[in-house]
């Protein structure tokens, strides 16, 4: 399985297809669904050219090493890293009519917006929680994050090959719900928990489609999952549950687009792409195809009554760790430790 994952990641930097060559979008797998940015397709007759990645740190390393794109889709905690490396430039919000519709909570950081401008256009958000086979896993087993260390599920679990997501899980499991100030003791406790959870892991999934395939094939019964993995399984009529309210809680994240400095394509088309994403009609497509919420209040109002919002995006009666920007040194420490844990050390 590690060989399979390596192959997938090696291919991730290649364009999935060459469409509109004047705009290259470096994105998470699955976000090339045209209905999400339909206004762009309507205006230009085609989708942008896409290249994909499965992990934020992987994407940053490729861009820092010279991979060329016009816009990138990092999650919030990565924006500062792109800024510090001088890889991005501010957006001109006067060219983004629906910018004011973005909920303020998604812009509440000087990393995203300061006196130099707006560096990040938040577009989508979701949850990370326990996906499980409802026919083989009793509900009481997923009432706690302890399911990931339960010997009953040795070799039957899957975790994301993503440092941020696994550390959010480990912090929650060890009683931490705010990662903005983590003590060394809390870090060590989370690392010890991750090592224990590693024993049960059949595979670390590289993207939601791989996670869904692992579960659909019967290889695993329990996964730490984003909304999209659950949506894919539901589309295949797999008996999947999404437990967002274990005793210790679950996490949330939000992502958006940054404007690459000296991108090779059309700056006008980059703005057309962002404006298409911020159309209220994008919310329904985003929810149906990936299961995520939209950052625009006007867009979310169009899907407020959708069952999928209640199932995967509503407020929960459990702790929530918000994956917002945190200390870059801590992120680097987490990344290095996660690599050791995956290697069995």
């Amino acid at each position: 399985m590690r060989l399979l994952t390596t192959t997938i990641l090696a291919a991730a930097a290649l364009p999935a297809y060459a469409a509109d060559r004047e705009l290259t979008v470096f994105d998470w797998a699955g976000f090339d669904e045209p209905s999400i940015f339909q206004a762009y397709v309507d205006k230009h007759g085609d989708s942008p050219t896409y290249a994909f990645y499965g992990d934020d740190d992987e994407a940053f390393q490729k861009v820092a090493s010279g991979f060329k794109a016009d816009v990138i889709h990092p999650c919030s905690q990565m924006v500062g890293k792109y800024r510090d490396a001088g890889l991005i430039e501010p957006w001109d919000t006067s060219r983004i009519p629906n910018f004011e519709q973005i909920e303020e909570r998604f812009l509440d950081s000087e990393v995203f917006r300061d006196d130099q401008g707006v560096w990040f256009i938040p577009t989508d958000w979701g949850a990370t929680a326990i996906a499980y086979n409802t026919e083989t896993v009793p509900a009481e087993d997923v009432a706690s994050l302890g399911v990931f260390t339960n010997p009953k599920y040795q070799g039957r679990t899957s975790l994301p090959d993503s440092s941020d997501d696994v550390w959010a899980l480990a912090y929650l499991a060890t009683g931490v719900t705010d990662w903005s100030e983590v003590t060394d003791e809390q870090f060590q406790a989370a690392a010890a928990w991750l090592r224990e959870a590693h024993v049960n892991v059949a595979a670390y999934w590289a993207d939601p489609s791989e996670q869904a395939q692992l579960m659909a094939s019967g290889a695993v019964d329990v996964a730490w999952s984003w909304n999209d993995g659950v949506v894919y399984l539901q589309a295949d009529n797999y008996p999947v549950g999404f437990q967002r309210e274990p005793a210790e809680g679950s996490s949330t994240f939000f992502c958006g687009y940054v404007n690459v400095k000296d991108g090779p394509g059309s700056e006008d088309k980059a703005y057309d792409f962002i404006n298409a994403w911020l159309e209220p009609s994008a919310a329904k497509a985003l929810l149906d195809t990936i299961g995520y919420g939209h950052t625009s209040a006007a867009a979310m109002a169009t899907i407020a009554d959708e069952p999928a919002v209640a199932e995967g995006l509503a407020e929960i009666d459990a702790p929530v760790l918000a994956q917002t920007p945190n200390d870059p040194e801590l992120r680097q420490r987490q990344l290095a430790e996660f690599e050791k844990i995956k290697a069995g050390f």
Side-chain angles (χ1 to χ4, degrees):
M1 180 56 65
R2 297 307 304 156
L3 178 60
L4 172 61
T5 300
T6 301
T7 302
I8 290 170
L9 291 179
L14 300 175
Y17 54 83
D20 186 338
R21 295 182 181 275
E22 292 185 335
L23 184 69
T24 299
V25 179
F26 197 25
D27 215 324
W28 301 88
F31 276 89
D32 56 329
E33 168 55 48
S35 60
I36 301 174
F37 47 88
Q38 189 62 51
Y40 182 94
V41 177
D42 291 344
K43 182 172 183 177
H44 297 290
D46 211 343
S47 296
T49 291
Y50 271 86
F52 297 121
Y53 55 88
D55 171 70
D56 256 329
D57 289 290
E58 170 210 347
F60 174 82
Q61 290 301 327
K62 291 186 188 301
V63 175
S65 298
F67 181 76
K68 298 297 183 182
D70 298 301
V71 295
I72 311 170
H73 192 180
C75 291
S76 64
Q77 60 271 20
M78 285 296 296
V79 177
K81 198 166 183 177
Y82 281 101
R83 284 193 61 177
D84 292 345
L87 295 171
I88 61 174
E89 60 188 10
W91 291 97
D92 179 358
T93 57
S94 70
R95 300 180 64 180
I96 306 174
N98 284 326
F99 176 77
E100 298 302 326
Q101 292 293 333
I102 297 173
E103 292 189 49
E104 183 61 29
R105 63 191 175 102
F106 295 115
L107 289 162
D108 188 21
S109 170
E110 290 187 359
V111 175
F112 309 149
R113 179 175 58 184
D114 60 14
D115 56 7
Q116 297 180 60
V118 174
W119 299 86
F120 179 57
I121 304 296
T123 51
D124 53 284
W125 59 276
T128 313
I130 306 171
Y132 65 101
N133 185 327
T134 57
E135 294 182 351
T136 61
V137 180
E140 56 267 27
D141 285 4
V142 293
S144 167
L145 296 179
V147 68
F148 290 105
T149 57
N150 186 339
K152 177 179 176 181
Y153 296 101
Q154 185 170 349
R156 305 296 300 170
T157 71
S158 183
L159 299 180
D161 196 2
S162 163
S163 176
D164 288 317
D165 290 297
V166 295
W167 281 94
L169 168 62
Y171 286 134
L172 283 164
T174 52
V176 175
T177 58
D178 180 356
W179 70 6
S180 62
E181 293 187 17
V182 174
T183 67
D184 183 66
E185 182 180 5
Q186 290 170 330
F187 175 88
Q188 297 297 346
W193 187 91
L194 273 181
R195 286 185 165 86
E196 188 178 355
H198 175 75
V199 175
N200 282 4
V201 173
Y204 289 90
W205 54 264
D207 60 58
S209 61
E210 184 185 0
Q211 178 234 312
Q213 290 166 8
L214 286 166
M215 296 189 72
S217 70
V220 302
D221 295 314
V222 181
W224 190 236
S225 173
W226 304 329
N227 302 74
D228 31 358
V230 175
V231 169
Y232 298 157
L233 287 164
Q234 289 172 336
D236 287 337
N237 296 315
Y238 178 88
V240 62
F242 195 42
Q243 170 60 291
R244 295 182 60 215
E245 297 182 314
E248 303 88 348
S250 56
S251 67
T252 61
F253 58 87
F254 64 96
C255 311
Y257 288 92
V258 292
N259 190 4
V260 179
K261 186 183 295 183
D262 301 321
S266 166
E267 186 78 352
D268 289 341
K269 287 188 175 182
Y271 280 92
D272 288 342
F273 179 75
I274 290 299
N275 286 326
W277 252 95
L278 293 180
E279 287 289 332
S281 58
K284 173 68 170 167
L286 180 63
L287 181 69
D288 288 349
T289 59
I290 305 180
Y292 287 9
H294 204 290
T295 57
S296 160
M300 282 301 294
T302 69
I303 58 172
D305 297 328
E306 293 282 340
V309 172
E311 293 170 6
L313 298 171
E315 291 187 12
I316 62 173
D317 185 19
V320 174
L321 187 151
Q323 293 182 217
T324 53
N326 56 351
D327 179 30
E329 291 186 7
L330 175 63
R331 286 196 75 255
Q332 193 58 38
R333 186 183 183 192
Q334 290 171 175
L335 181 61
E337 193 73 10
F338 182 42
E339 291 303 315
K340 292 179 185 178
I341 291 167
K342 288 189 295 179
F345 296 104

